[in-house]
Structures are given as structure tokens and as C-alpha cells.
Amino acid sequence: MDNLTPRKIVEELDKYIIGQANAKKAVAIALRNRWRRQLLPDELKDEILPKNILMMGPTGVGKTEIARRLAKLAQAPFVKVEASKFTEVGYVGRDVESMIRDLTNLALNMVKSEHMEKVQEKASVMAEEKVLDLLLPTPKPVRKMSLPGTEPDGQSESTHDHHNETREKLRVQLKEGKFDERYIDLDVKEKTMPFGVVSNMGMDDIEMNLKDMLGNFLPEKSKRRKVKVPEAMRLLQQEEAGKLIDMDLIMKEAIERTEQTGIIFIDEIDKIVSKGSAHGPDVSREGVQRDLLPIVEGSTVNTKHGQVRTDHILFVAAGAFNISKPSDIIPELQGRFPIRAELEALGKDEFLRILKEPRNALIKQYIALIDTEGVKIDFSEDAIEEIASIAAIVNEKTENIGARRLHTILEKLLEEVSFNASDMTETALPITADYVRAKLEGIVKDEDLSRYIL
């Protein structure tokens, strides 16, 4: 992280997201400030709160993608939640504290994976020994009565030496993969729930939490499975690695990582913003905002892994704000998002770049997909320009859904090719501007484009 300067963060984001320089700059500074804070003395570190970000802009311009790529760069626990899914406390649905629980669970899985990775080598050795025990069980010692004054029988010692010699031969063959197709019987332990929770939405979490809380009290049931040797190695390695790690230490580290580096992306925040009305569904929307306030301000949330403080979690909120405005958010919550980043609408030039430039560019994706059928499609420059132009026209005539329109256009353009690719005799298919116009002519001419809207 120390070499991830704001400039480098923006350069990394540029590989996947076209334009939106202001938003990229804002998130790059926010991410760098998190690293800077870690280097400060403890008394000052606690005083510096994260600068939460509010991204505003039409749908399909890159708000979610910026947050997602940011989390990958930071290698931090990251969850994306939709504000519209939350309900005020007291109503049926998800409460806002569930986002902190989700973030903690994610951090726990991250830390556990890291610790498991460290013990894989030792676990592999232990798993190998267990597989060898299954392939060649240790012979039971045969006890013989010896008469007084006679020497003990050396037969048992000879049997032991022969067993060890055979075991070492099997070890070599195991490593060479000679047992890969052989099946062995393996006892796999699994905890069974003696009862179930039967209810409506939101109750899945309760059942999962019950399993976690009851923990060791749940009966362990061994299920015998017939598996191939490589699968047995994998299962046993996982089991042994689980025994080698310290879960108390992992939980402590996961909570610390959640508190210090966690990022929560709250999408569709404009859906819980009302335009001054104080009755109907708007009352509940404002209630969700008020429930969000203490979480964003900094409070303590109880999770099944322990208490988590939210003071230093970075919150990135985003919304299109088509109907409402950011100023319609309750003032207290507005103040908790000091950084405002406005994202611009996309036009033909941006679409052209989106189709060609990013590492995961759409054109590259479709070429790779069709190539799996042995058909190479080749887009000419004027064809790509025509696709961008048509996407811009359709966005102008109907609802502007930004870069998502390119998915619709390309799916329609390559519908026949995708359907017939497996039966085609041609191995190459050039896509020209004329081909694009011929396939998409109906979309451009038809004034009623509602059936093409995603």
C-alpha cells in the first residue's frame, strides 16, 4: 500500500473505467489518507475520521465500478449494499446494522484464508500421512508368549520394517500421481442442525447465526464417502489446516481489519431520499436515513464475532438523484459525506473508448466468447464507431442508462452469431459498419424503443 500513491491509484482505475477524472481523484485521496492515518501516533490516529464520499451521476457511468475496483486495490474488506433494501427499525426487512455484520463476516473469511494459506504446507504433509494410512493400514501387533530365558521373537520387528518400506514406496507413487484414479473410503465430519427455522424473508440469517452460536453443542455426524485420492487429499488438507489455525486470533484480527480498513459502498442512496413530504412511504425512507446516521457517524455494532466500532470504516454512497437532490438528504447525514464527486453522463466518444480501451473491454469479451466455438470475429474500426453512435442515439431517444446500453446493443448485434456459432462452417467473421447498420437498423428507426430498454 505504501507505493500506491493517489496518482498510481488513478492510473489503475483508468485501466478499467473511462473518464470520470474528478471521482477517481476523490476516491484516490480518500484511500491514500487511510494509509497515512495508520502511520500516525495512536492519540492522533483516533482523532482522524475517514472522509466519506458521495458520488452523484446518472446510471451506468461507473459509480459502482469505481468502488469495486477501489476495494480490490486496497485489498480491504468491501461490501456493496443497496439502500433501498433497508427498512426502518421495527419493520420487516433488513436493518442497517446488517451491513456491518456482512463486512465483519467478509473480513473473517479474508483473514482465515490468509492464515490457512500459511499452514498449507504443514497441512499437506499431515494429509499425506492420513491418505497413506488409508491406503496401507498399520498392521496390528501379534503378541506371542515367550518362555522364560528365551529371546523375544524378531518377527514383529521384521513386519514393522517391511510395513515402513512398503509405505515409503507408496509415498513415492502417491507423489507421482499413480493413485489419482483410485477411490478410497473417507469419513467426512459435518454438523447437523436438529431443527430448522421456517419463516419468511430475513430468517435465513437467524438460522445461520443459530448454527454459529450453538457451535460445539451441535452433534457431529460422520458421513462415509467414496472419493478419489486427490479429492481425499484436498479434504484432509482442509481439515488439518483448520486444526492448525487459531480462530480466536483470526477473529480478533478480522474485527481490527473491519474497523480500520473496511469499506462499505451504499448504492441507490437517492431511493431513501424524499422531496420534503412527511407522509406515506417518505416517513419510512427518512427513518432509514436516521438509522444510517449513527452507523456512519461512528457507533458500536454487536456481531456474532464481537463488538465492531464503525468510526473508521469508509462509507462511499452513490445515487443518480434523478428525482431528488443531495440537499434533500437529512442535514446530519449530509454532513457525514464531506467529499462530493459528480460523475458525467457518457456520450459517443466515451462509448467508443469503453468498447476498446479497458482491460475488460466489451469487444474483447465478445471476441473471446465466440472464439471458444472456433469462430474468430473481427470488428473493424468503423463498425465499433457505428456501435458507439447507435448506443448514444438510443440513450438520447429513450431512458439514458449509460454504458449498460452497450450490452443491449452488442447482444442484439451478435444474437444470430451466438446462436449459430457452434454450427458455423466459417472460421472467421468480419463485423463491418454495414453489418452493424443492417442488424441494428430496426432499433434506430423504431421510435417506440421501449422493448429494447434493459
Side-chain angles (χ1 to χ4, degrees), residues 142-155:
V142 180
R143 293 190 175 184
K144 289 186 179 181
M145 294 291 291
S146 55
L147 296 170
T150 60
E151 291 293 322
D153 189 2
Q155 190 176 352

Side-chain angles (χ1 to χ4, degrees), residues 148-396:
T150 60
E151 291 293 322
D153 189 2
Q155 190 176 352
S156 59
E157 195 175 324
S158 169
T159 305
H160 180 70
D161 290 342
H162 177 68
H163 174 79
N164 284 345
E165 191 180 320
T166 309
R167 188 183 176 93
E168 290 309 309
K169 285 178 183 176
L170 288 177
R171 191 190 303 277
V172 173
Q173 291 175 344
L174 181 65
K175 287 179 178 176
E176 289 174 352
K178 290 183 180 177
F179 293 111
D180 284 0
E181 295 303 314
R182 181 166 169 177
Y183 284 89
I184 55 174
D185 290 328
L186 187 67
D187 288 328
V188 181
K189 290 179 182 177
E190 52 183 21
K191 286 183 178 176
T192 55
M193 194 75 166
F195 53 87
V197 176
V198 181
S199 187
N200 294 326
M201 63 176 248
M203 300 309 281
D204 289 342
D205 288 342
I206 292 178
E207 185 163 351
M208 287 166 63
N209 289 343
L210 274 172
K211 286 181 181 179
D212 286 321
M213 282 190 295
L214 293 171
N216 298 327
F217 297 106
L218 291 177
E220 272 195 352
K221 184 182 176 184
S222 288
K223 186 179 179 182
R224 178 151 284 207
R225 289 171 56 189
K226 197 174 276 290
V227 295
K228 286 187 175 181
V229 169
E231 176 68 2
M233 277 288 288
R234 188 188 67 79
L235 290 169
L236 288 168
Q237 189 171 338
Q238 200 173 347
E239 188 182 310
E240 293 302 320
K243 292 176 186 174
L244 290 167
I245 58 175
D246 183 350
M247 280 309 294
D248 290 336
L249 180 67
I250 287 170
M251 279 187 192
K252 187 180 175 184
E253 195 177 322
I255 288 173
E256 187 179 347
R257 193 174 295 192
T258 303
E259 292 178 337
Q260 302 300 325
T261 66
I263 300 172
I264 293 179
F265 178 61
I266 307 172
D267 204 2
E268 295 186 350
I269 197 165
D270 55 317
K271 302 293 189 298
I272 58 163
V273 178
S274 57
K275 291 202 71 176
S277 169
H279 50 267
D282 292 337
V283 176
S284 181
R285 286 176 191 152
E286 190 168 309
V288 175
Q289 288 186 60
R290 296 204 177 278
D291 287 346
L292 267 174
L293 184 60
I295 304 286
V296 179
E297 273 187 332
S299 59
T300 302
V301 175
N302 286 317
T303 73
K304 62 189 176 190
H305 307 299
Q307 292 188 327
V308 176
R309 289 198 59 79
T310 66
D311 301 63
H312 299 289
I313 292 173
L314 176 66
F315 291 89
V316 181
F321 292 98
N322 293 324
I323 300 167
S324 55
K325 305 187 297 293
S327 57
D328 293 325
I329 298 173
I330 60 170
E332 302 94 324
L333 193 57
Q334 277 187 56
R336 287 294 162 181
F337 289 90
I339 299 174
R340 305 289 171 89
E342 196 161 343
L343 286 84
E344 301 153 9
L346 304 174
K348 180 188 169 182
D349 292 341
E350 287 79 21
F351 287 159
L352 198 59
R353 293 181 62 199
I354 288 167
L355 286 167
K356 296 193 298 181
E357 290 181 21
R359 283 190 177 177
N360 59 341
L362 282 174
I363 293 291
K364 294 175 189 173
Q365 290 180 30
Y366 279 94
I367 289 171
L369 278 171
I370 304 298
D371 192 36
T372 59
E373 301 280 6
V375 179
K376 295 191 181 294
I377 52 174
D378 180 36
F379 288 85
S380 64
E381 283 296 320
D382 56 348
I384 297 172
E385 196 165 331
E386 190 65 27
I387 292 166
S389 180
I390 290 171
I393 291 167
V394 176
N395 269 352
E396 281 174 23

